[in-house]
Amino acid sequence: MVATPIGNLQDITLRALEILNSVDVIAAEDTRHSATLLGHFGIQTKLTALHEHNERTAGEKLIAQLQVGQSVALISDAGTPAISDPGALLVNLARQAGVKVVPIPGANAAITALSASGLLMPRFLFIGFLPAKSSHRKQVLEAISDVPATLVFYEAPHRVLESVADFAAVLGGERQITFARELTKTFETIYQCPLGEALAWLQADPNQQRGEFVLLVEGAPVKDEQAISPEARRTLELLLAELPLKQAVKLAADITGIKKNTLYELALTLKP
Ligand code: SAM
């Protein structure tokens, strides 16, 4: 499984070049597209097609070749194979046949976008492409609207306006969206704004609707992991009525098991 660049050919790795040069055959999503990449690096290895419409039959043939000792590299049109691209089925077939699978890491659009987004949430949820139909898209968005992690989408240019409109409709206008467009290419653009302003920004300049996009949407706020129950609040109130604030908070924490900081913040609102 060999990752290739997502735009800038300089992003190929030394290991990818060595593998692509030395294997018996390279299976590629689109052999004409990949011939350009291989030509650029003077690689003359034989190419064969493996895409979403022939993955099983082409995959079975490749497994037979692997079983007689040949080596096969799988590449996709861009980035890491099997990530919103064909490849997972081939890996499964290989595993079942006892064939070793070796990942050669490299470019990936989602990770590249995240690295330059400046979004502070430590977690992200990779969604990839949303359904083409708006009603299905909204269902998926509703299902993930409470997830406290950056949401990562891939989107095609002809659908970016519709998708962004649905993001705002389902997730609200306040969350930040990051457009990561044409990463590693000449017109690379990374732009951030609230979802409520995103559609107007896209519409103001048709150039911003062209090319390839990763869309990053801020996740739902992290819920207080230690929500304060009505009983715990009552306990704190009673203690606050009798004791100095610090002592009341400490005792309430001992009684309820809730963190002192959480109770302290509540106590400040109850007793100035
Ligand atoms: N396997 C690839 C990867 O590892 O990122 C993704 C392949 S998927 C079929 C193609 C989608 O990835 C595009 O529609 C776009 O959403 C995103 N993408 C690929 N290259 C990109 C780039 N240079 N800039 C922004 N997004 C890109």
Side-chain angles (χ1 to χ4, degrees):
M1 305 298 284
V2 182
T4 58
I6 55 167
N8 190 326
L9 296 185
Q10 310 255 46
D11 292 332
I12 193 117
T13 69
L14 295 175
R15 195 162 166 225
L17 289 177
E18 189 187 312
I19 299 286
L20 294 175
N21 251 317
S22 62
V23 287
D24 295 304
V25 59
I26 298 172
E29 201 182 349
D30 175 343
T31 50
R32 270 198 302 179
H33 174 94
S34 294
T36 313
L37 171 83
L38 300 178
H40 180 86
F41 292 107
I43 296 170
Q44 292 175 341
T45 309
K46 198 177 128 207
L47 273 165
T48 187
L50 183 138
H51 42 72
E52 61 174 327
H53 305 296
N54 77 346
E55 192 168 355
R56 182 166 290 276
T57 46
E60 281 164 0
K61 274 192 208 147
L62 291 171
I63 300 297
Q65 285 177 257
L66 287 157
Q67 282 177 316
V68 294
Q70 295 215 326
S71 52
V72 177
L74 177 74
I75 60 176
S76 63
D77 285 354
T80 304
I83 307 299
S84 297
D85 264 340
L89 182 59
L90 180 67
V91 172
N92 266 297
L93 293 172
R95 287 259 157 68
Q96 282 165 29
V99 170
K100 190 173 171 198
V101 178
V102 184
I104 311 296
N108 166 258
I111 299 296
T112 306
L114 279 163
S115 74
S117 71
L119 293 173
L120 294 176
M121 281 193 154
R123 296 182 183 145
F124 65 86
L125 176 64
F126 177 69
I127 304 295
F129 291 102
L130 282 165
K133 220 174 145 190
S134 178
S135 57
H136 293 165
R137 197 157 54 221
K138 283 183 171 161
Q139 274 171 10
V140 175
L141 291 172
E142 260 149 29
I144 57 174
S145 61
D146 284 340
V147 175
T150 300
L151 307 173
V152 185
F153 304 95
Y154 284 166
E155 196 47 282
H158 63 276
R159 221 174 269 143
V160 71
L161 283 175
E162 293 173 43
S163 285
V164 167
D166 286 348
F167 289 163
V170 177
L171 305 173
E174 288 187 2
R175 296 194 195 185
Q176 292 288 315
I177 179 169
T178 305
F179 292 90
R181 188 176 79 89
E182 293 289 271
L183 293 167
T184 77
K185 304 188 211 175
T186 313
F187 296 107
E188 180 177 271
T189 310
I190 299 174
Y191 179 77
Q192 209 166 71
C193 66
L195 267 179
E197 294 166 20
L199 205 55
W201 177 74
L202 274 176
Q203 283 166 334
D205 181 359
N207 282 327
Q208 300 300 355
Q209 299 166 31
R210 300 209 172 102
E212 299 194 276
F213 289 88
V214 181
L215 304 172
L216 307 174
V217 178
E218 188 183 355
V222 181
K223 288 209 181 90
D224 187 351
E225 281 168 18
Q226 282 193 307
I228 300 172
S229 67
E231 298 77 45
R233 187 190 167 98
R234 182 87 189 111
T235 307
L236 182 63
E237 279 170 350
L238 289 172
L239 291 168
L240 280 172
E242 303 296 328
L243 298 167
L245 190 134
K246 260 183 145 178
Q247 216 181 337
V249 166
K250 187 187 173 308
L251 271 179
D254 289 345
I255 295 166
T256 62
I258 295 174
K259 275 192 209 147
K260 261 198 280 182
N261 282 352
T262 311
L263 289 170
Y264 189 77
E265 276 172 34
L266 175 63
L268 287 179
T269 67
L270 297 172
K271 184 171 177 169

